[in-house]
Amino acid sequence: MTLRDLILDVFRTLWSHKLRAFLTMFGIAWGIVSIVLMVAAGEGLRKGQEEQARNLGKDVMIVFHGRTSLQAGGTHAGRMVHWEDPDVAVVQEESPDCEYAIPELEQDTVRIHSNYNNAAFTVTGSYPPFGYIRSLDVGQGRFYDWDDMREARRVAFLGSDAAKQLFPGRNPVGESIYLNDFPYTVIGVMAKKKQDSSYDGWDVNKVFLPFAAMRRDFPDKPPGTDSTFDQLLVTPKSVEQHEACKREVRVALARMHRYDPNDKEACPIWDTVQEAQAFKTMTDGMKFFLGAVGIVTLLLGGIGVMNVMLVAVRERTREIGVRKAIGAPAGTILRQFFIEALIIALLSGGIGLGVAFGFCALVNMLPMPDFFAGLVPSWSSGLTAAGLLGAIAVGAALYPARRAASIDPIEALRYEAGG
């Protein structure tokens, strides 16, 4: 018998036992679909949350000023601390593990209007790296640069919603806005972004200025002075260096302002790197949990596939006896069962993967809720499930077929299914 004849005979046999074949294929396909969708949902949640965290800033630490809670250097506890302009250069110089240390000065009482509308937005000033650190992607125009800083130019970069309100239906770039009657030229508009956390409001509703212009036109409010600012934004050179960077910043600021470097009340820090690591730990735990659920699902699916295959082969013991009686060797019989099981495994595996990935694609065409990236399927999980369930199906077919092929043909012909 040629291979072609063998394969045709296999398909004829599968068709004659189509219910058993269907049940086996359904068990394998369903197991694959379950695993792929489970892993895809977990990965979609992880990616969505990761993207939203990145929208706040790139591994940024927000260093606020506070009130001392420990006595140090002869000073009493309870003293208010304010960051000052000279602190920036000192922190940058004394913190080798930090990439950026830049100030941020804010005002939320600035009167803002354009030639088309009025608005009430937070106005914030910083250095040019602020755009990169805080993930302020440019939608139109440009972000302010070091030339704007050095010359204290009155230029403004608008949040996307701020631009829509001040310039409804118009291109703001090149137009003027008035901040407490100071004319500022709009040089750029931020791309729309989603944000799930903030320390001072949503970026889409802000006006961003060069720090020098902000310092001159809108200095810090009392009890601040003309040289103080609201918070320091610090980024480490790498995630691995963020603890060292944080410690160096605390020590430098404590020395400049004469308080204990261990006094966290004097220098509260919102550490997004630490939050990201905590979230990664949580998602890793979720992965392990989903993996455990997936293994149980595969085992249950495998048991179901095994039972169907064992029953199907046992019911064909008489058929095996007929084949042996007419001279078919045991190897030929086993080869046919192997090819049958392999075809079932390949067809059901392909169907399962196709259904799972197709369903993910259809779901991802729908609007996704915030902080969820949709169903992100993984080929590795699908192929692993298909391989494991396929191997179980083949093994469950070969074991009883080998036993049936080894018994005497007369005994095989006497076998009654269910007996």
Side-chain angles (χ1 to χ4, degrees):
M1 180 181 289
T2 65
L3 180 60
R4 177 176 176 276
D5 294 334
L6 180 60
I7 293 176
L8 289 175
D9 187 44
V10 164
F11 276 104
R12 281 193 295 269
T13 304
L14 289 175
W15 179 251
S16 65
H17 298 84
K18 48 185 174 292
L19 179 60
R20 297 294 185 187
F22 171 77
L23 291 175
T24 305
M25 292 176 65
F26 179 80
I28 295 175
W30 180 251
I32 294 169
V33 171
S34 301
I35 294 299
V36 171
L37 293 184
M38 197 180 330
V39 174
E43 185 65 11
L45 177 63
R46 186 193 67 80
K47 281 196 171 183
Q49 292 289 343
E50 188 178 76
E51 182 63 28
Q52 292 304 316
R54 193 181 300 117
N55 280 341
L56 174 65
K58 296 176 174 64
D59 300 333
V60 62
M61 292 180 280
I62 317 297
V63 184
F64 301 102
H65 59 82
R67 191 181 295 274
T68 60
S69 60
L70 302 174
Q71 293 184 354
T75 61
H76 63 278
R79 177 171 55 92
M80 182 66 75
V81 177
H82 288 278
W83 308 143
E84 300 182 358
D85 291 347
D87 297 342
V88 179
V90 172
V91 169
Q92 189 73 73
E93 182 180 352
E94 297 184 5
S95 305
D97 290 291
C98 300
E99 182 177 9
Y100 291 111
I102 62 173
E104 184 178 11
L105 177 60
E106 298 177 313
Q107 291 277 12
D108 57 8
T109 58
V110 177
R111 301 185 310 276
I112 305 172
H113 73 275
S114 66
N115 292 328
Y116 312 99
N117 208 352
N118 299 326
F121 297 124
T122 297
V123 179
T124 179
S126 188
Y127 292 175
F130 185 87
Y132 166 76
I133 292 172
R134 286 294 320 283
S135 300
L136 305 180
D137 295 333
V138 176
Q140 295 174 267
R142 65 178 179 87
F143 197 71
Y144 56 78
D145 56 27
W146 285 108
D147 289 335
D148 299 323
M149 262 288 299
R150 280 189 292 269
E151 299 177 21
R153 294 173 183 167
R154 286 189 171 129
V155 294
F157 182 81
L158 303 182
S160 55
D161 288 0
K164 287 180 182 178
Q165 183 167 340
L166 289 169
F167 299 93
R170 294 173 172 82
N171 181 4
V173 177
E175 297 276 358
S176 294
I177 60 172
Y178 299 88
L179 310 179
N180 284 358
D181 296 328
F182 292 116
Y184 276 74
T185 301
V186 178
I187 58 171
V189 177
M190 187 182 74
K192 181 73 175 176
K193 79 171 182 178
K194 295 180 180 178
Q195 194 175 339
D196 69 340
S197 58
S198 174
Y199 54 91
D200 57 356
W202 308 128
D203 294 334
V204 294
N205 292 318
K206 290 183 182 177
V207 177
F208 303 91
L209 312 180
F211 188 80
M214 183 77 185
R215 166 66 73 211
R216 180 193 61 217
D217 295 339
F218 313 105
D220 199 5
K221 300 182 295 293
T225 67
D226 289 345
S227 64
T228 60
F229 54 87
D230 291 293
Q231 55 261 346
L232 191 67
L233 273 62
V234 179
T235 62
K237 290 182 177 177
S238 68
V239 173
E240 292 74 20
Q241 293 171 275
H242 101 275
E243 284 294 344
C245 171
K246 188 197 299 188
R247 183 171 58 254
E248 292 160 359
V249 170
R250 287 192 186 279
V251 170
L253 290 172
R255 184 182 63 78
M256 291 284 290
H257 294 274
R258 303 184 310 281
Y259 64 82
D260 191 318
N262 296 316
D263 190 347
K264 295 185 179 180
E265 295 296 321
C267 180
I269 296 179
W270 181 9
D271 188 351
T272 65
V273 182
Q274 194 171 37
E275 284 190 359
Q277 290 178 333
F279 181 75
K280 183 177 182 301
T281 301
M282 184 187 74
T283 54
D284 286 345
M286 185 172 65
K287 275 185 178 179
F288 290 129
F289 172 75
L290 290 176
V293 173
I295 290 172
V296 172
T297 302
L298 281 178
L299 289 176
L300 293 176
I303 292 171
V305 169
M306 185 183 300
N307 287 335
V308 173
M309 292 298 289
L310 287 172
V311 171
V313 175
R314 276 200 300 268
E315 288 185 347
R316 294 169 63 186
T317 300
R318 287 172 60 86
E319 175 190 326
I320 293 172
V322 171
R323 288 177 178 271
K324 291 195 69 176
I326 61 176
T332 301
I333 296 172
L334 286 176
R335 186 163 64 248
Q336 176 169 355
F337 277 93
F338 173 76
I339 294 175
E340 286 180 16
L342 189 61
I343 289 174
I344 288 175
L346 291 175
L347 285 176
S348 52
I351 291 170
L353 289 172
V355 170
F357 278 78
F359 183 78
C360 290
L362 288 175
V363 169
N364 291 339
M365 293 172 66
L366 301 174
M368 288 295 116
D370 290 345
F371 326 128
F372 181 62
L375 296 176
V376 184
S378 165
W379 279 106
S380 61
S381 61
L383 293 176
T384 299
L388 181 57
L389 290 174
I392 291 173
V394 172
L398 290 180
Y399 174 70
R402 185 171 180 275
R403 289 187 60 188
S406 65
I407 65 177
D408 185 83
I410 303 301
E411 293 297 324
L413 288 170
R414 287 177 179 170
Y415 177 82
E416 293 290 339

